[in-house]
Amino acid sequence: MRFGFTALGPVTRGLAQPPAGAPTPMPSLDFSAGPNPFRGALELTLPSAGTVSVHDASGRMVRRFAAATQARWDGCDARGRSTPPGLYLIRFEDRRGTHVTRRVVRL
């Protein structure tokens, strides 16, 4: 079986340049949270300063705090009580309002 294709427009080698006036892509907001699963504390490595919020599996906010590029969640809620084992959602939001969420498991 043979496959073919037709090139529409000029073909160049290397990385393609976006057309003039095209919006520039947003930088990645990927962050790491570990160890996962964890006991005790969770270490976060963030792409920039922003806000971290921790939600339980039902979506209830457990804790919220400002963070630089390194942060630590001690596994406690806003009142300082230890949270029970289970699934938690860690949401990082930068100063522009862009956010990303990671799932972690507390043992």
Side-chain angles (χ1 to χ4, degrees):
M1 185 177 286
R2 296 182 67 189
F3 296 95
F5 64 92
T6 302
L8 302 175
V11 177
T12 59
R13 293 185 68 140
L15 299 175
Q17 295 297 320
T24 56
M26 298 290 285
S28 172
L29 276 186
D30 197 21
F31 74 93
S32 65
N36 190 18
F38 75 101
R39 283 187 174 88
L42 182 71
E43 301 294 329
L44 306 170
T45 302
L46 308 167
S48 64
T51 304
V52 173
S53 56
V54 180
H55 303 262
D56 63 16
S58 69
R60 181 181 64 91
M61 187 184 301
V62 173
R63 181 107 177 250
R64 182 179 176 100
F65 53 92
T69 57
Q70 298 288 320
R72 184 174 189 263
W73 176 43
D74 59 5
C76 294
D77 65 12
R79 294 182 179 173
R81 299 176 296 197
S82 182
T83 56
L87 176 70
Y88 289 88
L89 303 172
I90 310 296
R91 181 178 190 226
F92 169 71
E93 184 173 338
D94 69 5
R95 293 180 180 162
R96 295 181 310 237
T98 308
H99 65 273
V100 64
T101 304
R102 295 279 174 266
R103 289 173 285 196
V104 297
V105 175
R106 179 170 164 83
L107 301 175

